[in-house]
Amino acid sequence: MRRTVATAFLLAGCALAGAFRAWPARAETAVVQPADPAQIEAARTSAQELGAALKDALTQALKAQGALGALQVCHEAAPTIASGVSAKSEMQTGRTALRVRNPANAPDDYERAQLEDFLARQANGEDATTLESAAILEINGVKEFRWMKAIPMGEMCMQCHGTAVAPEVLAEINTLYPEDQATGFKPGDIRGAFTVRKVLSSP
Ligand code: HEC
């Protein structure tokens, strides 16, 4: 646990260094302290719940209706599942990515910096399944807990995010998400990340 916190703090430092480059006009955002281990554990639980619920819905839909039908299920169910899990854990829990399918999942500046850091760490030989980061941020005077964990691509994901998505599936993706950026991935690539946030105090 201590190691996790130390890592989180180091990472927070990296994010901060990146942050000042990435956010010239917003120096109000800063990593102020390492996150509390209990809160990190709660975030992991919440993200695991989201992951499991999404996987269940997806697996069932794929089995029953194939990729085309499953797309529709994912489109309708993913946001609802995420709000249900968030309400239960009292932590805003969702998914984000550098290249998103649903624009509502687009990262904020901190999340973008972490996602870029995950890619760099993977390029440096770290195992994508273990990439995680946590920090307490202060954004315009509001303290916020943040936690993220990378989501690597699996074989099953290729049907809808891969390099050779079937034409009819691709057509439906483009209908549901005209600005889709989330195809062209290979197994093992970092597709995105779970992201958890909780406001700790207002000014
Ligand atoms: C049946 C098609 C389908 C499959 C299979 C699928 N996804 Fe998706 N994925 C979607 C759709 C549709 C969305 C947008 C959901 C929404 O509207 O929030 C999405 C969104 C996401 C997001 C959120 C960020 C974004 O781009 O909006 C991540 C991360 C993601 N998928 C990862 C995966 C991974 C990892 C797998 C394999 C375990 C996978 N997906 C399998 C269709 C699919």
Side-chain angles (χ1 to χ4, degrees):
M1 190 47 64
R2 183 176 296 165
R3 203 165 144 239
T4 312
V5 173
T7 314
F9 194 49
L10 270 178
L11 273 180
C14 295
L16 187 59
F20 283 129
R21 281 197 301 276
W23 310 322
R26 283 195 253 168
E28 308 90 338
T29 301
V31 175
V32 290
Q33 65 200 70
D36 169 34
Q39 216 144 29
I40 292 177
E41 213 39 67
R44 284 189 187 127
T45 304
S46 191
Q48 270 160 15
E49 241 172 76
L50 175 60
L54 286 170
K55 200 170 177 188
D56 273 2
L58 196 59
T59 313
Q60 276 180 27
L62 279 172
K63 212 184 283 173
Q65 315 173 38
L68 204 53
L71 257 184
Q72 192 63 46
V73 173
C74 210
H75 175 63
E76 280 162 22
T80 317
I81 291 173
S83 359
V85 170
S86 302
K88 192 177 150 212
S89 67
E90 295 180 354
M91 297 179 124
Q92 200 183 316
T93 307
R95 292 178 303 166
T96 187
L98 290 173
R99 285 156 51 196
V100 287
R101 174 144 298 166
N102 185 340
N105 295 329
D108 69 7
D109 292 335
Y110 174 78
E111 290 168 324
R112 183 178 301 281
Q114 296 306 306
L115 287 161
E116 281 165 358
D117 192 51
F118 287 164
L119 287 180
R121 288 166 65 190
Q122 186 187 37
N124 273 333
E126 278 190 62
D127 177 355
T129 60
T130 62
L131 294 171
E132 203 186 276
S133 79
I136 293 178
L137 306 185
E138 195 168 302
I139 305 172
N140 297 326
V142 180
K143 267 194 181 179
E144 220 177 276
F145 164 78
R146 296 293 191 104
W147 176 89
M148 290 176 71
K149 182 172 184 10
I151 306 176
M153 281 282 291
E155 281 295 342
M156 184 259 270
C157 324
M158 294 296 284
Q159 297 179 64
C160 300
H161 296 297
T163 42
V165 177
E168 68 277 13
V169 175
L170 202 55
E172 182 66 11
I173 289 173
N174 288 326
T175 307
L176 294 172
Y177 305 96
E179 293 164 43
D180 179 56
Q181 300 176 299
T183 59
F185 293 89
K186 297 186 296 302
D189 285 353
I190 295 175
R191 166 64 187 88
F194 289 108
T195 181
V196 175
R197 55 201 287 181
K198 188 179 173 81
V199 172
L200 302 177
S201 69
S202 296

